[in-house]
Amino acid sequence: MDFFKASERLMSMDDATWARHASPWSVYSRIATLPLLSLAIWSRAWIGWGALIAIAIAVFLIWVNPRAFSAPKTRDHWAAKGTFGERVFLNRDQIPIPAHHRSWAYGLTLVSAAGLPPWVYGLWAFSLPWTLLGITLILIGKVWFVDRMVWLYEDMKDADETYRGWMG
């Protein structure tokens, strides 16, 4: 099973959603969703079972984020190219991508995954240092991944008419 494609399905990403997610507002605000989810989970210390509502709201905001902003008027920027690169990466079975891009994508996903144990432990133990370490690793891996997706898009934009069309 492909983790990346499963994530896309879980988020219900279609062409219209991807177009909206190319907005810098969507990409940059997405970074704040992990700290928001962390705070919602941590809120169990203050509001007990009411934290389930806070967690549900945070999860809903994560899901709605790619849909919350209109498609950008211009697409020649880092955020849009990052989302285009993610789409190219997801389409790698139909249109192969260079091996170095595949390696970087998997490697940076491992960097993010390395942040999960300290993040989960920090949330469980109410340890701010462990929680912040986890968030930092997860976000460094994710932002670097998006940066590599910009590079992937730049390398692949002429490989298919659909890819060229995303620039508008």
Side-chain angles (χ1 to χ4, degrees):
M1 179 160 117
D2 186 325
F3 166 79
F4 299 100
K5 291 180 184 176
S7 296
E8 181 187 34
R9 281 191 301 277
L10 181 66
M11 290 295 295
S12 305
M13 299 294 284
D14 58 16
D15 287 342
T17 305
W18 276 111
R20 295 170 75 90
H21 188 41
S23 165
W25 285 101
S26 178
V27 172
Y28 300 133
S29 65
R30 183 108 172 148
I31 294 168
T33 60
L34 183 62
L36 180 66
L37 177 62
S38 302
L39 184 60
I41 294 169
W42 210 318
S43 73
R44 73 189 192 279
W46 310 301
I47 58 176
W49 287 102
L52 293 176
I53 295 169
I55 293 166
I57 290 169
V59 169
F60 175 73
L61 290 174
I62 291 168
W63 183 86
V64 83
N65 174 274
R67 297 157 179 80
F69 304 96
S70 59
K73 291 178 181 27
T74 61
R75 297 181 185 116
D76 191 21
H77 51 79
W78 184 86
K81 290 179 182 180
T83 61
F84 300 158
E86 286 186 77
R87 294 182 78 183
V88 169
F89 182 76
L90 288 167
N91 195 44
R92 68 194 177 280
D93 292 339
Q94 285 68 46
I95 300 174
I97 64 172
H100 66 279
H101 287 298
R102 185 184 321 261
S103 299
W104 272 99
Y106 287 115
L108 292 170
T109 300
L110 289 175
V111 170
S112 287
L116 287 174
W119 180 67
V120 169
Y121 174 77
L123 293 172
W124 175 76
F126 294 106
S127 170
L128 186 59
W130 283 108
T131 302
L132 292 177
L133 174 63
I135 289 171
T136 300
L137 287 171
I138 292 166
L139 291 181
I140 284 172
K142 180 59 178 174
V143 172
W144 195 354
F145 175 88
V146 173
D147 192 60
R148 289 299 301 206
M149 294 298 103
V150 172
W151 185 359
L152 172 60
Y153 178 71
E154 290 292 345
D155 284 356
M156 296 293 295
K157 65 184 174 190
D158 294 324
D160 185 80
E161 186 63 36
T162 302
Y163 297 169
R164 281 189 296 277
W166 291 336
M167 284 300 284

